[in-house]
Structures are given as structure tokens and as C-alpha cells.
Amino acid sequence: MSSQQKQSASRAAGAPTAPEPTGPRPARLSAAAALTAVEGLALAALGAYMLIMGLAGSPDNPQQAEMGGLTVLALAVLPLVAARGLWLRRRWSRGPSLITQIVALPVAWTLVNGGGALIAAGVGLAVAALVVLVLLVNPTATEALGIGPRETP
């Protein structure tokens, strides 16, 4: 039986895999959680706006506007759940938050290339994504989440 199979078996048996993090939440982790939550709330607001305009406005294609709004609302769930997990110091939350930030970078680039007021939104999104990425790969944050270096067999 491989070590990975043993770990899976012990998890299935209810054995704890890692001790819960103790001590105060580092400021870096709090900041990463807050920025991730702000990104999620901004997505939710955009999705709600798109949905309302699709229902109450006069878009060229109401079905497309409504589906776009619902899609953006659904996408807002990931950063909001990740932010809550970071705030509560859950190990699993780092991955979804990192994915959110990596996906935000091409979106920011597209906004910057859009011109006008979109440039400021793109720059703000890029800065927030880069800051959260730096905060989450910091050893202080990883230790606070209970993520340590891998053990060598």
C-alpha cells in the first residue's frame, strides 16, 4: 500500500490529517481574505446589475443579458467562499483564492486594453490580484493556514 493510499485510508477513518492552526490570524491572511471578499462582492454586484438590466432594461438580447448576469453571479461564489475560508483559516481556501487571482490577471489586461474608464478598473483589479497572490504565497500565511513543507519519504 502506497503512502498516499495510507493517507486516504486514515482520512476516511476520521483520523485528523493536520492540527488546527492556533494563535492570532496574521495581518497578511486577513488582508488576503478581505481583498478576495471585495473581488467577490464586486463580481456579485456586476452580476446583479447585468441581471437587472436584462430583466428591466431593453437589451438587444434579453436572454443573453440574463444568462450573463447569472453566470457572473455564479462566478462570484468562488472568491466569496474562498475569502470566508481564508478568514476562518481553512487550508482548502488557499487554492480557490489563488485560482481566482490568476484568472483575474487576464481579465485585468482585457480591461486595461479596453480604454477609457476601464483602464482604472483593470489596473485596480491587477494590483489587487497581485497583492493577494503575494500575500498567499508568503510563509506567514501558509503557516497560519496549516500548510507546511512537504515531508520527504
Side-chain angles (χ1 to χ4, degrees), residues 61-116:
N61 187 344
Q63 289 177 332
Q64 186 176 7
E66 293 162 10
M67 186 54 72
L70 289 173
T71 302
V72 173
L73 280 172
L75 290 173
V77 171
L78 181 65
L80 291 173
V81 169
R84 184 173 189 276
L86 289 172
W87 188 260
L88 297 174
R89 297 172 66 176
R90 303 291 190 248
R91 293 178 67 151
W92 59 262
S93 62
R94 183 172 176 244
S97 185
L98 288 172
I99 290 168
T100 299
Q101 307 319 314
I102 291 168
V103 168
L105 291 173
V107 173
W109 180 258
T110 302
L111 289 173
V112 167
N113 288 329

